[in-house]
């Protein structure tokens, strides 16, 4: 059975230069409108749906994203598997700037976000198993795609999800390191758990765009981050194209 694949992109992946946009669809959900139009894209021979997590022009900060509307819209569009692209900070030794990771675990430090479809409003409450937040099958497909594309990557990683939009303090990064986190970002939750609630396979490709606060002698600047994104996201897109084309 052919699966419908979607990509949800954030920092550095709001658009796809060189891709053919086949159509765009506005989808309304009971949770409101998603961050952007849902595009059907053809890129390097792969066809998939794409949703810009932060909206067109990167206008929505991480804490204000309507995650429920985004996931509900993808489910309504018939999506079976969702690959999230995340720009993250590096914490542990192997996750230096420029490294691409396919994380396997999550620690959630966010607060105040609408984070579940099972909020009791419809009289239905469920408790999902979230022991392993990422689909192992989809992770394996991404890993195989990276090998096929001859792109180096780390096939693990604990993703710490912080509230944002500010970056973390050096003390916070030290705490995250003690908690066993390898990378830090702001958007994996509640995106991952919402996907699990509606039965969408979910995995991530994360690009390390800066060292965590206090782990280098330099101040973290958006200019430095953008330099890494310009190179790294081309590799991420190649992994995605190889993965989706192989479905």
């Amino acid at each position: 059975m052919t699966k419908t694949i979607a990509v949800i992109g954030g920092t550095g992946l709001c658009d796809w230069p060189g891709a053919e946009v086949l159509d765009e669809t506005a989808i309304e959900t009971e949770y409101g409108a998603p961050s952007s139009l849902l595009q059907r894209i053809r890129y390097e021979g792969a066809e998939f749906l794409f949703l810009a997590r932060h909206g067109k022009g990167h206008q929505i900060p991480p804490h204000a994203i309507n995650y429920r509307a985004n996931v509900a819209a993808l489910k309504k569009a018939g999506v079976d598997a969702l690959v999230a692209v995340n720009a993250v900070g590096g914490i542990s030794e192997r996750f230096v700037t420029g490294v691409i990771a396919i994380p396997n675990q999550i620690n959630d430090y966010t607060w105040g976000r609408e984070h579940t479809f099972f909020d009791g409003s419809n009289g239905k409450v469920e408790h999902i198993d979230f022991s392993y937040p990422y689909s192992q099958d989809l992770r394996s497909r991404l890993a195989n795609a990276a090998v096929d594309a001859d792109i180096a990557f780390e096939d693990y990683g604990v993703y710490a999800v912080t509230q944002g939009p500010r970056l973390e303090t050096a003390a916070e990064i030290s705490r995250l390191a003690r908690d066993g986190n390898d990378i830090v970002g702001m958007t994996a939750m509640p995106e991952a758990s919402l996907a699990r609630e509606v039965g969408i396979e979910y995995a991530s490709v994360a690009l390390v765009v800066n060292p965590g606060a206090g782990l280098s002698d330099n101040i973290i600047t958006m200019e430095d981050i953008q330099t890494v994104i310009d190179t790294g996201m081309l590799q991420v897109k190649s992994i995605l194209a190889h993965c989706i084309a192989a479905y």
Side-chain angles (χ1 to χ4, degrees):
M1 181 180 68
T2 302
K3 290 189 175 183
T4 299
I5 316 298
V7 174
I8 187 163
T11 303
L13 201 72
C14 290
D15 52 36
W16 291 74
E20 179 185 2
V21 178
L22 303 176
D23 60 60
E24 294 183 322
T25 307
I27 299 180
E28 285 294 328
T29 78
E30 61 183 290
Y31 306 99
S35 296
S36 67
L37 296 175
L38 189 59
Q39 296 180 317
R40 185 174 298 277
I41 285 177
R42 183 180 293 122
Y43 181 80
E44 292 187 0
E47 187 173 318
F48 54 95
L49 299 176
F50 175 71
L51 182 66
R53 185 188 287 118
H54 296 278
K56 186 176 181 180
H58 201 93
Q59 298 176 337
I60 308 171
H63 70 287
I65 291 169
N66 190 338
Y67 292 94
R68 293 198 297 181
N70 285 351
V71 174
L74 293 168
K75 182 66 175 180
K76 196 171 182 179
V79 169
D80 301 295
L82 174 60
V83 180
V85 176
N86 305 102
V88 298
I91 299 176
S92 60
E93 184 177 358
R94 293 180 65 89
F95 293 81
V96 297
T97 299
V99 162
I100 291 172
I102 302 174
N104 65 325
Q105 273 296 339
I106 290 173
N107 275 322
D108 186 9
Y109 300 88
T110 64
W111 50 269
R113 302 181 182 190
E114 295 288 355
H115 64 280
T116 181
F117 294 117
F118 302 130
D119 59 5
S121 60
N122 61 359
K124 184 179 181 181
V125 176
E126 293 188 19
H127 305 281
I128 59 167
D129 186 318
F130 203 53
S131 303
Y132 303 97
Y134 295 108
S135 161
Q136 185 53 49
D137 177 69
L138 190 50
R139 289 187 67 254
S140 295
R141 289 176 179 272
L142 289 166
N144 290 337
V147 172
D148 290 343
D150 196 25
I151 294 171
F153 69 102
E154 296 293 341
D155 191 18
Y156 75 102
V158 180
Y159 184 146
V161 194
T162 56
Q163 182 70 356
R166 69 167 177 84
L167 298 176
E168 299 72 35
T169 68
E172 287 169 334
I173 292 295
S174 293
R175 181 188 65 159
L176 295 180
R178 291 193 298 272
D179 285 353
N181 296 290
D182 299 298
I183 54 178
V184 57
M186 302 172 189
T187 54
M189 289 294 289
E191 198 172 85
S193 57
L194 290 168
R196 178 66 54 85
E197 286 184 352
V198 298
I200 296 176
E201 292 182 66
Y202 184 92
S204 167
V205 180
L207 172 66
V208 180
V209 297
N210 61 269
L215 299 181
S216 76
D217 295 330
N218 301 320
I219 294 174
I220 300 170
T221 69
M222 291 309 298
E223 290 79 9
D224 291 338
I225 289 174
Q226 190 60 52
T227 299
V228 180
I229 285 173
D230 289 343
T231 300
M233 283 301 172
L234 290 175
Q235 294 181 308
V236 169
K237 288 178 178 179
S238 182
I239 292 173
L240 296 175
H242 277 77
C243 176
I244 295 166
Y247 257 92

